[in-house]
């Protein structure tokens, strides 16, 4: 059970993480729709993915954040200032016209994502320092739940509200929400950290030095492999549903609402599982769950599956993904150097993003040339390789005994 004292602490971090995700998810969902309505080409819409680059390159300025954060007050200054800029930029977007100010809107959104990414660096570093090894998995549940919950609200609920209230009315409310989400951190006086003031401060070269640590490459291999059995299926499940004859409304509910909600629930459960059985067993358990999920999709792909079988597949897919994020984030927190918590955690999350992008792009080409069944077979093979890698490379740690 969680102590009442910890509930407020976890809730504080949940608010910070969901405040990042909702605006990002909303913009990533609504902009392609509006661009298509204005007859932008599919190629131009595809390039819209570039607005997420700040979250890929945030490791470049993460040492600067680490270098200037020693006390809780320092972290709060970074988080509050970043979120304030984030909110102001969102508010400014509300007063621009999409048809005449498109590039201005795009520039402001990119700047807002830089602010959001900066807040994420500081929040992650604070979580690393604040939570004990035992409770880090619960902190990562808050991070993952914030991501899934923010996606569900930003790409679902807000899209419906957008149709009713419009651009100019909704965005000021979104900016206000970002600021309101800071209130738990503002009033929470129980967040304390111990950071050695004598430790060498982070510098730019630490991004490179991260890869020179003894034993770090087994973690890097884990980061590249662990999601690999899921990402291709996640990327192709919506096109597969289209080819099976499902319309946009059905797909949106099945994958975007039901699936994301399952990810939200699974990430909550995943934190307790890791806390209960430890890192080593959790890696094996979640990797086995991923393998079962990929084999399930392979099985149902040999015929035309019923809606019930597809819903079960979507639940398995998002459930395994939700739990996978917890062990990835938790072990990433274990592999940070003193004084470089934000930098090292950021590097590891960026590695998972890069590997996911590679798998997602490759899965589209594979499915296009060989079909969905062979894609799911390939995903099952990657999931099996990931499980074998964990069994061979990692050993039970003392804390996991």
């Amino acid at each position: 059970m969680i102590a009442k004292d910890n509930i407020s602490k976890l809730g504080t971090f949940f608010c910070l993480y969901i405040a990042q995700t909702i605006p990002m998810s909303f913009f990533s969902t609504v902009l392609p729709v509006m661009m298509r309505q204005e007859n932008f080409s599919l190629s131009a819409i595809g390039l819209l993915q570039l607005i997420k680059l700040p979250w890929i390159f945030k490791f470049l300025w993460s040492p600067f954040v680490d270098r200037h954060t020693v006390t809780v007050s320092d972290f709060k200054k970074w988080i509050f200032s970043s979120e304030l800029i984030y909110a102001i930029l969102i508010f400014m977007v509300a007063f621009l016209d999409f048809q005449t100010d498109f590039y201005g809107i795009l520039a402001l959104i990119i700047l807002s994502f830089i602010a959001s990414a900066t807040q994420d660096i500081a929040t992650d570093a604070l979580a690393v320092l604040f939570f004990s090894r035992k409770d880090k998995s619960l902190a990562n549940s808050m991070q993952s739940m914030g991501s899934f919950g923010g996606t569900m609200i930003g790409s679902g609920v807000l899209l419906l509200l957008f149709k009713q209230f419009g651009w100019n009315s909704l965005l000021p409310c979104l900016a206000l929400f970002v600021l309101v989400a800071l209130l738990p951190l503002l009033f929470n006086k129980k967040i304390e950290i111990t950071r050695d003031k004598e430790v060498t401060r982070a510098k730019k070269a630490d991004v490179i030095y991260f890869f020179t640590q003894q034993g770090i490459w087994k973690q890097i291999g884990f980061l590249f492999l662990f999601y690999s059995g899921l990402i291709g299926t996640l990327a192709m499940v919506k096109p597969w549903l289209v080819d099976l004859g499902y319309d946009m409304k059905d797909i949106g509910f099945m994958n975007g609402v039901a699936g994301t909600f399952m990810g939200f629930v699974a990430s909550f459960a995943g934190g307790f599982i890791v806390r209960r059985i430890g890192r080593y067993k959790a890696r094996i358990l979640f990797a086995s769950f991923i393998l079962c999920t990929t084999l399930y999709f392979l099985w149902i792909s040999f015929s035309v599956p019923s809606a019930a079988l597809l819903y079960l597949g979507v639940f398995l897919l998002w459930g395994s993904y939700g739990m996978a994020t917890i062990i990835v984030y938790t072990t990433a927190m274990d592999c940070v150097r003193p004084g470089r918590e934000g930098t090292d955690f950021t590097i590891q999350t960026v590695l998972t993003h890069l590997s996911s992008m590679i798998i997602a792009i490759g899965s589209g080409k594979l499915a296009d040339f060989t079909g969905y069944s062979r894609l799911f077979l390939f995903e099952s093979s990657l999931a099996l390789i990931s499980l074998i890698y964990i069994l061979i490379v990692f050993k039970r740690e003392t804390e996991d005994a």
Side-chain angles (χ1 to χ4, degrees):
M1 295 295 292
I2 307 177
K4 290 182 179 180
D5 189 41
N6 280 339
I7 293 176
S8 65
K9 298 173 184 177
L10 292 170
T12 297
F13 281 87
F14 174 76
C15 290
L16 293 176
Y17 284 121
I18 201 170
Q20 301 168 5
T21 310
I22 289 179
M24 288 178 57
S25 180
F26 173 71
F27 284 128
S28 299
T29 302
V30 76
L31 284 179
V33 175
M34 295 179 70
M35 288 175 69
R36 195 56 179 166
Q37 290 175 343
E38 296 298 325
N39 296 316
F40 280 77
S41 68
L42 293 176
S43 298
I45 295 174
L47 290 174
L48 192 63
Q49 296 299 314
L50 294 176
I51 66 174
K52 298 177 182 179
L53 283 179
W55 277 73
I56 296 293
F57 290 110
K58 62 181 179 176
F59 68 90
L60 294 175
W61 64 90
S62 57
F64 183 80
V65 177
D66 274 330
R67 190 161 61 245
H68 293 87
T69 46
V70 176
T71 65
V72 172
S73 178
D74 294 332
F75 281 102
K76 287 185 176 182
K77 288 176 183 177
W78 275 100
I79 293 170
F80 288 148
S81 59
S82 298
E83 286 296 90
L84 179 60
I85 293 171
Y86 192 29
I88 290 172
L89 290 168
I90 293 171
F91 190 75
M92 290 172 63
V93 172
F95 294 94
L96 298 180
D97 182 82
F98 189 83
Q99 293 179 327
T100 59
D101 304 312
F102 173 73
Y103 291 105
I105 290 172
L106 212 57
L108 289 176
I109 290 174
I110 292 173
L111 289 174
S112 74
F113 282 14
I114 292 173
S116 177
T118 303
Q119 188 258 56
D120 186 61
I121 295 168
T123 301
D124 288 338
L126 181 59
V128 170
L129 290 164
F130 175 60
F131 289 98
S132 66
R133 176 180 170 84
K134 182 180 179 181
D135 289 335
K136 278 183 170 58
S137 62
L138 299 181
N140 287 312
S141 284
M142 298 304 103
Q143 180 174 9
S144 190
M145 288 168 65
S147 178
F148 284 115
T151 298
M152 188 164 54
I153 295 172
S155 61
V157 176
L158 290 187
L159 195 61
L160 296 175
L161 293 175
F162 172 73
K163 294 179 181 179
Q164 183 174 356
F165 295 103
W167 184 269
N168 304 100
S169 299
L170 187 60
L171 289 185
C173 296
L174 195 57
L176 180 62
F177 168 77
V178 168
L179 296 178
V180 170
L182 292 173
L183 294 179
L185 179 62
L186 179 65
F187 293 110
N188 194 332
K189 306 299 182 183
K190 297 180 180 180
I191 295 182
E192 300 176 351
I193 63 171
T194 302
R195 197 173 202 180
D196 189 354
K197 295 183 179 180
E198 302 301 321
V199 72
T200 304
R201 307 313 313 152
K203 49 187 179 296
K204 291 181 180 179
D206 280 317
V207 173
I208 304 299
Y209 293 152
F210 170 81
F211 296 94
T212 65
Q213 298 177 81
Q214 184 178 2
I216 196 61
W217 281 94
K218 67 178 184 180
Q219 172 69 4
I220 293 173
F222 169 74
L223 295 174
F224 267 96
L225 282 173
F226 199 61
Y227 286 143
S228 61
L230 290 174
I231 295 301
T233 306
L234 281 167
M236 289 295 108
V237 68
K238 285 185 280 189
W240 187 42
L241 290 172
V242 171
D243 292 345
L244 289 173
Y246 289 85
D247 60 26
M248 192 62 66
K249 181 180 178 181
D250 292 332
I251 295 171
F253 181 80
M254 185 185 298
N255 195 67
V257 178
T260 307
F261 179 74
M262 178 56 66
F264 181 88
V265 173
S267 59
F268 178 72
F272 287 95
I273 293 172
V274 175
R275 191 172 187 257
R276 177 71 175 175
I277 69 175
R279 274 75 159 162
Y280 177 71
K281 290 181 179 178
R283 288 188 207 252
I284 296 173
L285 177 63
F286 296 163
S288 300
F289 192 29
I290 291 171
L291 177 59
C292 292
T293 299
T294 58
L295 290 173
Y296 178 83
F297 271 89
L298 176 62
W299 172 63
I300 65 173
S301 68
F302 287 116
S303 61
V304 179
S306 65
L309 289 176
L310 287 171
Y311 265 100
L312 178 57
V314 168
F315 287 155
L316 287 172
L317 182 64
W318 284 94
S320 57
Y321 184 54
M323 288 190 289
T325 59
I326 304 304
I327 192 61
V328 166
Y329 292 153
T330 302
T331 57
M333 283 188 173
D334 294 337
C335 298
V336 300
R337 296 163 293 172
R340 296 150 184 83
E341 291 84 3
T343 299
D344 290 357
F345 188 83
T346 298
I347 290 171
Q348 292 177 80
T349 56
V350 167
L351 288 175
T352 64
H353 293 326
L354 289 176
S355 64
S356 297
M357 287 175 60
I358 294 170
I359 293 293
I361 293 170
S363 66
K365 293 184 179 297
L366 183 61
D368 199 26
F369 284 107
T370 66
Y372 293 108
S373 293
R374 286 187 174 85
L375 168 65
F376 298 144
L377 176 61
F378 177 69
E379 288 287 275
S380 299
S381 301
L382 291 177
L384 179 60
I385 292 170
S386 175
L387 177 58
I388 294 172
Y389 178 86
I390 291 169
L391 292 170
I392 292 175
V393 173
F394 292 96
K395 295 180 181 179
R396 182 193 300 266
E397 300 178 5
T398 304
E399 292 87 347
D400 289 342

